[in-house]
């Protein structure tokens, strides 16, 4: 069964990231394959496809960016 995530903020919360990171990935085209539909300004994502699209990412062990 597919897990559908509604919106960038919820996807960011699910992955333990900031919503700006999701927006940056969208602009780069990294999440195009995982986008199920766009309804108005809301984007629907398939979580399984998001995780396969980002092979170096794991929900169990999210990588936080290091401050310099």
């Amino acid at each position: 069964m597919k897990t559908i995530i509604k919106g960038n903020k919820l996807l960011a919360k699910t992955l333990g990231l900031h919503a700006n990171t999701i927006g940056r990935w969208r602009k780069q085209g990294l999440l195009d394959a995982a986008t199920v539909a766009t309804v108005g300004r809301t984007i629907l994502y398939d979580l399984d496809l998001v995780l396969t699209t980002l092979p170096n990412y794991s929900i169990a062990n999210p990588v936080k960016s290091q401050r310099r």
Side-chain angles (χ1 to χ4, degrees):
M1 183 173 147
K2 288 186 178 182
T3 303
I4 302 298
I5 303 292
K6 181 180 174 185
N8 289 348
K9 288 182 183 179
L10 186 57
L11 180 61
K13 184 177 179 181
T14 303
L15 298 177
L17 300 170
H18 196 276
N20 289 346
T21 302
I22 302 301
R24 188 170 53 245
W25 286 351
R26 285 225 11 108
K27 285 182 182 179
Q28 293 173 354
L30 295 175
L31 298 175
D32 288 347
T35 302
V36 175
T38 303
V39 181
R41 294 186 57 172
T42 303
I43 302 162
L44 302 177
Y45 298 101
D46 181 344
L47 183 59
D48 296 329
L49 287 176
V50 169
L51 295 176
T52 57
T53 302
L54 306 170
N56 294 330
Y57 190 83
S58 168
I59 290 180
N61 188 16
V63 177
K64 300 286 183 174
S65 62
Q66 300 290 329
R67 290 188 178 218
R68 294 178 190 210

